């Protein structure tokens, strides 16, 4: 699969955020107290705690890297799935989608792959924000960790859905038989 310039930029930004997330997690670990916050209420005050250990601190970056990598790999696999196992893809007007030729199904799923790459970028940014916030509150640099930036993630994911549906429907119409 050939990546467009946009896809390469998104992948580079996502990878950069993941590297930064790991570096910030490594930075904060020696500074953490024996008990550090792992959850915050709506006002940004800590309301859940964990004992310091490499495992507990490493869970968030580990899960973050796994989820982001999984989404990127899924985005990369979508065209192949569309070609070889199209029944696995949940798409509007699936019966019509299944009747398309292999190359047409691959084109119709391109917006889905693009959307997944965008969500992986937002996810990497969100998880970096969470790690940074936990580190800052745990060490006393900040008293609270505002939750409103998490709305950017939610708005980005949900706001992208109508664009995804529109682009998918447009691609489907262009391949109408």
């Amino acid at each position: 699969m050939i990546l467009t310039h946009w896809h390469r930029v998104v992948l580079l930004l996502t990878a950069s955020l993941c590297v930064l997330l790991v570096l910030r997690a490594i930075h904060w670990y020696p500074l953490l107290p024996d008990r550090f916050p792992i959850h915050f209420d709506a006002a940004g005050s800590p309301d859940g705690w964990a004992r310091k250990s490499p495992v507990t601190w490493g869970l968030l970056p580990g899960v973050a890297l796994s989820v982001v990598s999984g989404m990127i790999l899924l985005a990369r696999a979508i065209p192949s799935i569309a070609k070889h196992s199209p029944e696995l893809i949940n798409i509007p007007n699936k019966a019509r989608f299944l009747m398309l030729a292999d190359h047409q199904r691959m084109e119709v799923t391109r917006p889905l792959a693009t959307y997944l790459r965008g969500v992986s970028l937002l996810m990497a940014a969100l998880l970096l924000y969470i790690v940074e916030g936990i580190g800052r509150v745990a060490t006393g640099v900040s008293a609270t960790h505002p939750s409103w930036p998490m709305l950017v993630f939610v708005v980005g994911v949900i706001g992208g859905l109508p664009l995804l549906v529109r682009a998918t429907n447009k691609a489907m119409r262009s391949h109408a038989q």
Side-chain angles (χ1 to χ4, degrees):
M1 180 179 132
I2 298 172
L3 293 179
T4 65
H5 177 69
W6 157 251
H7 292 149
R8 282 191 289 273
V9 168
V10 169
L11 287 174
L12 179 64
L13 287 172
T14 303
S16 298
L17 287 174
C18 287
V19 168
L20 187 57
L21 182 146
V22 170
L23 292 175
R24 294 307 291 166
I26 291 168
H27 164 81
W28 285 117
Y29 183 74
L31 304 174
L32 292 175
D34 288 337
R35 188 172 157 252
F36 65 93
I38 57 168
H39 192 268
F40 299 84
D41 63 19
S45 299
D47 65 357
W49 304 85
R51 292 265 172 229
K52 180 181 175 180
S53 80
V55 172
T56 55
W57 183 245
L59 274 174
L60 183 59
V63 168
L65 294 175
S66 297
V67 169
V68 170
S69 298
M71 291 183 73
I72 290 169
L73 291 172
L74 180 59
R76 185 174 174 88
I78 288 290
S80 179
I81 295 169
K83 182 177 180 181
H84 300 292
S85 302
E87 66 281 353
L88 296 178
I89 295 179
N90 189 8
I91 195 162
N93 203 347
K94 190 169 186 170
R96 193 163 127 202
F97 172 74
L98 293 173
M99 292 188 305
L100 296 174
D102 293 350
H103 70 281
Q104 292 172 321
R105 286 195 307 266
M106 291 170 71
E107 285 296 317
V108 168
T109 58
R110 187 169 291 184
L112 176 57
T114 299
Y115 175 78
L116 288 172
R117 287 183 185 95
V119 171
S120 69
L121 174 63
L122 289 172
M123 180 74 68
L126 172 67
L127 294 166
L128 171 61
Y129 175 76
I130 291 170
V131 165
E132 188 67 19
I134 289 172
R136 294 174 66 79
V137 172
T139 59
V141 173
S142 298
T144 60
H145 182 52
S147 57
W148 68 264
M150 294 181 198
L151 290 176
V152 173
F153 172 77
V154 173
V155 168
V157 171
I158 294 172
L161 287 173
L163 300 173
L164 169 62
V165 170
R166 192 173 92 206
T168 301
N169 286 336
K170 182 179 176 183
M172 187 78 86
R173 280 192 306 274
S174 74
H175 295 294
Q177 295 177 340

